[in-house]
Amino acid sequence: MKILFTKSLEREKVSVKLGTDFSVDFVEVITTEFIKIKPFDLKNNSLIFTSVNGVKAFFENGFSPNENFAEPKNYNKIYVVGSQTGKELRKHNFGTYKLCKNASELSQFITENAVNEKFLHFCGNIAIDILDENLPLQNISYKKIPVYKTELLYPKIDEKYQAIVFFSPSGVRSFAKFNQLDDVKIFSIGKTTTAEIEKLTDNKIITSSKNTLADLLNLININFSSK
């Protein structure tokens, strides 16, 4: 069984998890580059991170949140999408006020619980539209701060695979420009990525409910073991 992952991963770890019945390949479909910006006073804004790269670029630019509850006037709550994003924050010794699986879940939480907060979203130049569309409609202060840029690589894949695995909406757009999504099993890291795939094919999409690589690999095993 041949599977293509649209992201470079550790081959040994993936192969161990999937076993000898699977042959795995990896292709980079996007590339990212940090944007250099001058750090500014975060004041009492709440911070949003929706990707690992957003966190990395934030600290690379010299920003530092204030998590001191004793200073409520300049305290920064940190909202995060994805467990990997949360892990990256912990590497810099910062926790999260709220961790959500996807942008829709975060948007709903904010509109129900944090309408009076002001939000800064440290993101890529191709950022998730859900927050940008939903929060201002609720008169919630929201501003994107691009700290990295994403370039779509548009690879053309000649080899045939039984399954393709996707990790981001931009990765889907990059891959789909020169490659078909029909007659192949499609696996997706989460709902936001799945929504992008659904624009391009009626094929069934198997989506991770936990938005993690480990869950994706389990889904692959489950779906092919029944064959």
CSV table of all heavy atoms in Angstrom, one decimal, residues 37-70:
chain,number,residue,atom,x,y,z
A,37,ILE,N,9.9,41.6,11.8
A,37,ILE,CA,9.2,42.8,12.2
A,37,ILE,C,9.8,43.3,13.5
A,37,ILE,O,10.3,42.5,14.3
A,37,ILE,CB,7.7,42.6,12.3
A,37,ILE,CG1,7.4,41.6,13.4
A,37,ILE,CG2,7.1,42.2,11.0
A,37,ILE,CD1,5.9,41.4,13.7
A,38,LYS,N,9.6,44.6,13.8
A,38,LYS,CA,10.2,45.1,15.1
A,38,LYS,C,9.1,44.8,16.2
A,38,LYS,O,8.0,45.1,16.0
A,38,LYS,CB,10.3,46.6,14.9
A,38,LYS,CG,11.0,47.3,16.1
A,38,LYS,CD,11.2,48.8,15.9
A,38,LYS,CE,11.9,49.4,17.1
A,38,LYS,NZ,12.2,50.9,16.9
A,39,PRO,N,9.6,44.2,17.3
A,39,PRO,CA,8.7,43.9,18.4
A,39,PRO,C,8.1,45.2,19.0
A,39,PRO,O,8.7,46.2,19.0
A,39,PRO,CB,9.5,43.2,19.4
A,39,PRO,CG,10.9,43.6,19.1
A,39,PRO,CD,11.0,43.8,17.6
A,40,PHE,N,6.8,45.1,19.4
A,40,PHE,CA,6.1,46.3,19.9
A,40,PHE,C,5.4,45.8,21.2
A,40,PHE,O,5.4,44.6,21.6
A,40,PHE,CB,5.1,46.8,18.9
A,40,PHE,CG,4.1,45.8,18.4
A,40,PHE,CD1,3.0,45.4,19.1
A,40,PHE,CD2,4.3,45.1,17.2
A,40,PHE,CE1,2.1,44.4,18.7
A,40,PHE,CE2,3.5,44.2,16.7
A,40,PHE,CZ,2.4,43.8,17.4
A,41,ASP,N,5.0,46.8,22.0
A,41,ASP,CA,4.3,46.6,23.3
A,41,ASP,C,3.0,45.8,23.0
A,41,ASP,O,2.1,46.3,22.3
A,41,ASP,CB,4.1,47.9,24.0
A,41,ASP,CG,3.5,47.8,25.4
A,41,ASP,OD1,3.3,46.6,25.8
A,41,ASP,OD2,3.4,48.8,26.1
A,42,LEU,N,2.9,44.7,23.6
A,42,LEU,CA,1.7,43.9,23.5
A,42,LEU,C,0.5,44.4,24.4
A,42,LEU,O,-0.6,43.9,24.2
A,42,LEU,CB,2.0,42.4,23.8
A,42,LEU,CG,3.0,41.7,22.9
A,42,LEU,CD1,3.4,40.3,23.5
A,42,LEU,CD2,2.5,41.6,21.5
A,43,LYS,N,0.8,45.2,25.3
A,43,LYS,CA,-0.2,45.8,26.2
A,43,LYS,C,-1.0,44.7,26.9
A,43,LYS,O,-0.4,43.8,27.3
A,43,LYS,CB,-1.0,46.9,25.5
A,43,LYS,CG,-0.2,48.0,24.9
A,43,LYS,CD,-1.0,49.1,24.2
A,43,LYS,CE,-0.2,50.2,23.7
A,43,LYS,NZ,-1.0,51.2,23.0
A,44,ASN,N,-2.3,44.9,26.9
A,44,ASN,CA,-3.2,43.9,27.5
A,44,ASN,C,-3.9,43.1,26.4
A,44,ASN,O,-4.9,42.5,26.7
A,44,ASN,CB,-4.1,44.5,28.4
A,44,ASN,CG,-5.1,45.4,27.7
A,44,ASN,OD1,-4.9,45.9,26.6
A,44,ASN,ND2,-6.3,45.7,28.3
A,45,ASN,N,-3.4,43.0,25.2
A,45,ASN,CA,-4.0,42.3,24.1
A,45,ASN,C,-3.9,40.8,24.4
A,45,ASN,O,-2.9,40.3,24.9
A,45,ASN,CB,-3.4,42.6,22.8
A,45,ASN,CG,-3.7,44.0,22.3
A,45,ASN,OD1,-4.8,44.2,21.9
A,45,ASN,ND2,-2.7,44.8,22.3
A,46,SER,N,-5.0,40.1,24.0
A,46,SER,CA,-4.9,38.6,24.0
A,46,SER,C,-4.3,38.2,22.7
A,46,SER,O,-4.5,38.8,21.7
A,46,SER,CB,-6.3,38.0,24.1
A,46,SER,OG,-6.9,38.4,25.4
A,47,LEU,N,-3.5,37.1,22.8
A,47,LEU,CA,-2.7,36.6,21.6
A,47,LEU,C,-3.3,35.3,21.1
A,47,LEU,O,-3.7,34.4,21.8
A,47,LEU,CB,-1.3,36.4,22.0
A,47,LEU,CG,-0.6,37.5,22.9
A,47,LEU,CD1,0.8,37.2,23.2
A,47,LEU,CD2,-0.7,38.9,22.1
A,48,ILE,N,-3.3,35.2,19.7
A,48,ILE,CA,-3.8,34.0,19.1
A,48,ILE,C,-2.6,33.4,18.2
A,48,ILE,O,-2.0,34.2,17.5
A,48,ILE,CB,-5.0,34.3,18.2
A,48,ILE,CG1,-6.2,34.8,19.0
A,48,ILE,CG2,-5.4,33.1,17.4
A,48,ILE,CD1,-7.4,35.2,18.1
A,49,PHE,N,-2.4,32.1,18.4
A,49,PHE,CA,-1.5,31.4,17.5
A,49,PHE,C,-2.2,30.2,16.9
A,49,PHE,O,-2.8,29.4,17.7
A,49,PHE,CB,-0.3,30.9,18.4
A,49,PHE,CG,0.5,32.0,18.9
A,49,PHE,CD1,0.4,32.4,20.3
A,49,PHE,CD2,1.5,32.6,18.2
A,49,PHE,CE1,1.1,33.4,20.8
A,49,PHE,CE2,2.3,33.7,18.7
A,49,PHE,CZ,2.1,34.1,20.0
A,50,THR,N,-2.1,30.0,15.6
A,50,THR,CA,-2.8,28.9,15.0
A,50,THR,C,-1.9,28.0,14.2
A,50,THR,O,-2.3,27.1,13.5
A,50,THR,CB,-3.9,29.5,13.9
A,50,THR,OG1,-3.2,30.4,13.1
A,50,THR,CG2,-5.0,30.2,14.7
A,51,SER,N,-0.5,28.2,14.5
A,51,SER,CA,0.4,27.3,13.8
A,51,SER,C,1.8,27.4,14.6
A,51,SER,O,2.0,28.3,15.3
A,51,SER,CB,0.7,27.8,12.4
A,51,SER,OG,1.4,29.0,12.4
A,52,VAL,N,2.5,26.3,14.4
A,52,VAL,CA,3.9,26.2,15.0
A,52,VAL,C,4.7,27.4,14.5
A,52,VAL,O,5.5,28.0,15.2
A,52,VAL,CB,4.5,24.8,14.8
A,52,VAL,CG1,6.0,24.8,15.2
A,52,VAL,CG2,3.7,23.8,15.5
A,53,ASN,N,4.7,27.6,13.2
A,53,ASN,CA,5.5,28.7,12.6
A,53,ASN,C,5.2,30.0,13.1
A,53,ASN,O,6.0,30.9,13.3
A,53,ASN,CB,5.3,28.7,11.1
A,53,ASN,CG,6.1,27.6,10.4
A,53,ASN,OD1,7.3,27.3,10.8
A,53,ASN,ND2,5.6,27.0,9.4
A,54,GLY,N,3.9,30.3,13.5
A,54,GLY,CA,3.5,31.5,14.1
A,54,GLY,C,4.2,31.7,15.4
A,54,GLY,O,4.6,32.8,15.7
A,55,VAL,N,4.3,30.7,16.2
A,55,VAL,CA,4.9,30.7,17.5
A,55,VAL,C,6.4,31.0,17.3
A,55,VAL,O,7.0,31.9,18.0
A,55,VAL,CB,4.7,29.5,18.3
A,55,VAL,CG1,5.5,29.5,19.6
A,55,VAL,CG2,3.2,29.3,18.6
A,56,LYS,N,7.0,30.2,16.4
A,56,LYS,CA,8.5,30.3,16.2
A,56,LYS,C,8.9,31.7,15.8
A,56,LYS,O,9.8,32.3,16.2
A,56,LYS,CB,8.9,29.3,15.2
A,56,LYS,CG,9.0,27.9,15.7
A,56,LYS,CD,9.4,26.9,14.6
A,56,LYS,CE,9.5,25.5,15.1
A,56,LYS,NZ,10.0,24.5,14.0
A,57,ALA,N,8.1,32.3,14.8
A,57,ALA,CA,8.4,33.6,14.2
A,57,ALA,C,8.2,34.7,15.3
A,57,ALA,O,8.9,35.7,15.3
A,57,ALA,CB,7.6,33.8,13.0
A,58,PHE,N,7.2,34.5,16.1
A,58,PHE,CA,6.9,35.4,17.2
A,58,PHE,C,8.1,35.6,18.1
A,58,PHE,O,8.5,36.8,18.4
A,58,PHE,CB,5.7,34.9,18.0
A,58,PHE,CG,5.3,35.7,19.2
A,58,PHE,CD1,4.5,36.8,19.1
A,58,PHE,CD2,5.7,35.3,20.5
A,58,PHE,CE1,4.1,37.5,20.3
A,58,PHE,CE2,5.3,36.0,21.6
A,58,PHE,CZ,4.5,37.1,21.5
A,59,PHE,N,8.6,34.5,18.6
A,59,PHE,CA,9.8,34.6,19.5
A,59,PHE,C,11.1,35.0,18.7
A,59,PHE,O,11.9,35.7,19.3
A,59,PHE,CB,9.9,33.3,20.2
A,59,PHE,CG,8.9,33.1,21.3
A,59,PHE,CD1,7.9,32.2,21.1
A,59,PHE,CD2,8.9,33.8,22.4
A,59,PHE,CE1,6.9,32.0,22.0
A,59,PHE,CE2,7.9,33.6,23.4
A,59,PHE,CZ,6.9,32.7,23.2
A,60,GLU,N,11.2,34.6,17.5
A,60,GLU,CA,12.3,34.9,16.7
A,60,GLU,C,12.4,36.4,16.5
A,60,GLU,O,13.5,37.0,16.4
A,60,GLU,CB,12.2,34.3,15.3
A,60,GLU,CG,13.4,34.4,14.4
A,60,GLU,CD,14.5,33.5,14.6
A,60,GLU,OE1,14.4,32.5,15.4
A,60,GLU,OE2,15.6,33.7,14.1
A,61,ASN,N,11.3,37.1,16.5
A,61,ASN,CA,11.3,38.5,16.3
A,61,ASN,C,11.4,39.3,17.7
A,61,ASN,O,11.4,40.5,17.7
A,61,ASN,CB,9.9,39.0,15.7
A,61,ASN,CG,10.0,38.9,14.2
A,61,ASN,OD1,10.9,39.5,13.5
A,61,ASN,ND2,9.1,38.1,13.5
A,62,GLY,N,11.6,38.5,18.8
A,62,GLY,CA,11.9,39.2,20.0
A,62,GLY,C,10.7,39.5,20.9
A,62,GLY,O,10.8,40.2,21.9
A,63,PHE,N,9.5,39.1,20.5
A,63,PHE,CA,8.3,39.3,21.4
A,63,PHE,C,8.3,38.4,22.6
A,63,PHE,O,8.9,37.3,22.6
A,63,PHE,CB,7.0,39.0,20.6
A,63,PHE,CG,6.7,40.0,19.5
A,63,PHE,CD1,7.0,39.7,18.2
A,63,PHE,CD2,6.0,41.1,19.9
A,63,PHE,CE1,6.6,40.6,17.2
A,63,PHE,CE2,5.7,42.1,18.9
A,63,PHE,CZ,6.0,41.8,17.6
A,64,SER,N,7.7,38.9,23.7
A,64,SER,CA,7.6,38.1,24.9
A,64,SER,C,6.3,38.4,25.6
A,64,SER,O,6.0,39.6,26.0
A,64,SER,CB,8.7,38.4,25.8
A,64,SER,OG,8.7,37.5,27.0
A,65,PRO,N,5.3,37.4,25.7
A,65,PRO,CA,4.1,37.7,26.4
A,65,PRO,C,4.3,37.9,27.9
A,65,PRO,O,5.3,37.5,28.5
A,65,PRO,CB,3.3,36.4,26.2
A,65,PRO,CG,4.0,35.7,25.1
A,65,PRO,CD,5.4,36.1,25.3
A,66,ASN,N,3.3,38.6,28.5
A,66,ASN,CA,3.3,38.8,30.0
A,66,ASN,C,2.3,37.9,30.6
A,66,ASN,O,1.1,38.1,30.4
A,66,ASN,CB,3.0,40.2,30.3
A,66,ASN,CG,3.0,40.4,31.8
A,66,ASN,OD1,3.4,39.6,32.6
A,66,ASN,ND2,2.4,41.5,32.2
A,67,GLU,N,2.7,36.8,31.3
A,67,GLU,CA,1.8,35.9,31.9
A,67,GLU,C,1.6,36.1,33.4
A,67,GLU,O,1.1,35.3,34.1
A,67,GLU,CB,2.2,34.5,31.7
A,67,GLU,CG,2.0,34.0,30.2
A,67,GLU,CD,2.2,32.5,30.1
A,67,GLU,OE1,3.2,31.9,30.6
A,67,GLU,OE2,1.3,31.9,29.5
A,68,ASN,N,2.0,37.3,33.9
A,68,ASN,CA,1.9,37.6,35.3
A,68,ASN,C,0.5,38.1,35.6
A,68,ASN,O,0.1,39.2,35.3
A,68,ASN,CB,3.0,38.7,35.6
A,68,ASN,CG,3.1,39.0,37.1
A,68,ASN,OD1,2.3,38.4,37.9
A,68,ASN,ND2,4.0,39.8,37.5
A,69,PHE,N,-0.2,37.2,36.3
A,69,PHE,CA,-1.6,37.6,36.7
A,69,PHE,C,-1.6,38.8,37.7
A,69,PHE,O,-2.7,39.4,37.8
A,69,PHE,CB,-2.2,36.4,37.5
A,69,PHE,CG,-2.6,35.3,36.6
A,69,PHE,CD1,-1.7,34.2,36.4
A,69,PHE,CD2,-3.8,35.3,35.9
A,69,PHE,CE1,-2.1,33.1,35.5
A,69,PHE,CE2,-4.2,34.2,35.1
A,69,PHE,CZ,-3.3,33.2,34.9
A,70,ALA,N,-0.5,39.1,38.3
A,70,ALA,CA,-0.5,40.2,39.2
A,70,ALA,C,-0.5,41.6,38.5
A,70,ALA,O,-0.6,42.6,39.1
A,70,ALA,CB,0.8,40.1,40.1
